[in-house]
Amino acid sequence: MARTVRYLLVQFDTAIRPWELSAFRSAIARKAGWEHELFHNHDNASGGFHYRIPLIQYKQECGRALMLCLNEGIEELQHFFGRPDWTLELNGRTAPIRIARLQVKQYPLTVTRSLLRYHIRHWIALSQDNYRVYQALDNLVERLYFLQQILRNQIVALCDQLHALPEERIEVHIQNLKDERWVSYKGVKVLAFSIEFLSNAILPDYLGIGKGASVGWGVVKALRKPAKMTREQPKQTDSQYPVVHFT
């Protein structure tokens, strides 16, 4: 029986730019109360980070702010929405926010008999160690295979952290490298990839994967056009490549 993940997507009417997402997260966390760690994913006791999938994630779509909440993150929202005033202080400006749309679902994190098509946008896949491995690879085919193994490992880790790891093997096949660019993440230049891929895993829209998953990096969306590939693909082997932590 497939385990389900509770999913809540909140779209606001507040205009926001992609580089303001960290400030948006801080403004929401400040209003909710810093003691509620799921809003900011920091460990208040140690001062470090929780290296886990963020159960509250902050996105931007068509110039508007979004929040994606999973499982216990949904209940935590009461600490923000229970406040009498939702006005935020965002990068020196006052930003009153109102809800434009709510979407509530339960997703079965399982695998299907057919392969599903996805796009992942601005995915920060590489740690310092596996960036060196990536740079040393001889050609694009080897690099894409390397990224494919990392993406599969991250999807498996995500399902495991949500206590919804299916018994069947998760498959991932990168189909198209749409974009590769240098971006600034926490003041450091890193590579971000936009990729189309196939997987037998059912993944919720707007889910964040990889570094910066909580603030708009590595956003997954399903592509509605059916996949042309069949499941009769070469068997993927378990990879030695490390999983990139979620922060």
Side-chain angles (χ1 to χ4, degrees):
M1 183 177 179
R3 297 185 178 95
T4 60
V5 172
R6 294 181 295 125
Y7 171 103
L8 171 64
L9 185 70
V10 185
Q11 182 178 28
F12 300 103
D13 64 359
T14 308
I16 192 171
R17 291 160 290 193
W19 55 89
E20 291 184 304
L21 283 173
S22 291
F24 178 60
R25 177 177 70 170
S26 294
I28 292 283
R30 186 181 305 113
K31 182 73 70 170
W34 291 108
E35 66 272 19
H36 304 296
E37 295 182 353
L38 291 186
F39 283 93
H40 51 79
N41 214 37
H42 289 74
D43 186 336
N44 288 337
S46 70
F49 294 98
H50 289 294
Y51 290 100
R52 64 191 181 195
I53 179 173
L55 297 181
I56 298 178
Q57 303 181 10
Y58 304 83
K59 320 286 180 180
Q60 187 256 23
E61 180 83 356
C62 299
R64 303 295 173 182
L66 300 174
M67 290 178 68
L68 171 63
C69 305
L70 304 171
N71 291 349
E72 306 96 277
I74 296 175
E75 283 76 31
E76 284 293 285
L77 276 185
Q78 65 177 313
H79 300 298
F80 175 76
F81 288 124
R83 302 288 181 180
D85 178 17
W86 297 352
T87 303
L88 303 178
E89 295 299 321
L90 188 61
N91 279 346
R93 61 184 171 94
T94 300
I97 67 170
R98 293 177 294 274
I99 295 174
R101 179 170 66 98
L102 284 173
Q103 184 180 22
V104 182
K105 289 186 177 182
Q106 289 201 28
Y107 270 92
L109 281 193
T110 184
V111 298
T112 65
R113 293 181 60 84
S114 59
L115 292 168
L116 307 174
R117 296 179 70 242
Y118 297 98
H119 179 268
I120 184 168
R121 183 184 66 197
H122 299 160
W123 171 46
I124 303 176
L126 303 173
S127 65
Q128 289 184 351
D129 289 339
N130 54 29
Y131 171 73
R132 287 190 286 268
V133 176
Y134 179 81
Q135 287 294 96
L137 294 173
D138 291 333
N139 54 57
L140 180 61
V141 172
E142 290 184 355
R143 288 184 172 190
L144 288 179
Y145 181 74
F146 184 67
L147 291 174
Q148 180 172 283
Q149 299 306 307
I150 292 173
L151 181 57
R152 179 187 175 273
N153 287 352
Q154 291 185 355
I155 291 173
V156 169
L158 182 150
C159 293
D160 187 43
Q161 290 178 39
L162 290 172
H163 309 291
L165 184 64
E167 295 181 2
E168 300 87 347
R169 181 179 177 81
I170 291 176
E171 298 178 15
V172 172
H173 304 277
I174 289 179
Q175 294 293 286
N176 192 4
L177 176 59
K178 303 289 288 185
D179 185 55
E180 175 183 341
R181 67 176 65 185
W182 289 98
V183 300
S184 179
Y185 174 68
K186 295 185 177 180
V188 178
K189 293 291 185 182
V190 294
L191 276 177
F193 303 90
S194 294
I195 286 172
E196 289 181 2
F197 68 96
L198 303 179
S199 179
N200 60 340
I202 297 175
L203 302 173
D205 279 347
Y206 299 102
L207 187 66
I209 294 179
K211 287 187 176 181
S214 65
V215 286
W217 300 100
V219 176
V220 173
K221 291 188 73 175
L223 298 173
R224 303 308 173 191
K225 185 178 178 182
K228 294 182 180 180
M229 288 180 64
T230 68
R231 288 286 302 279
E232 296 178 359
Q233 301 299 319
K235 185 177 179 181
Q236 295 182 337
T237 58
D238 290 322
S239 170
Q240 74 275 23
Y241 303 138
V243 172
V244 176
H245 291 297
F246 301 94
T247 59

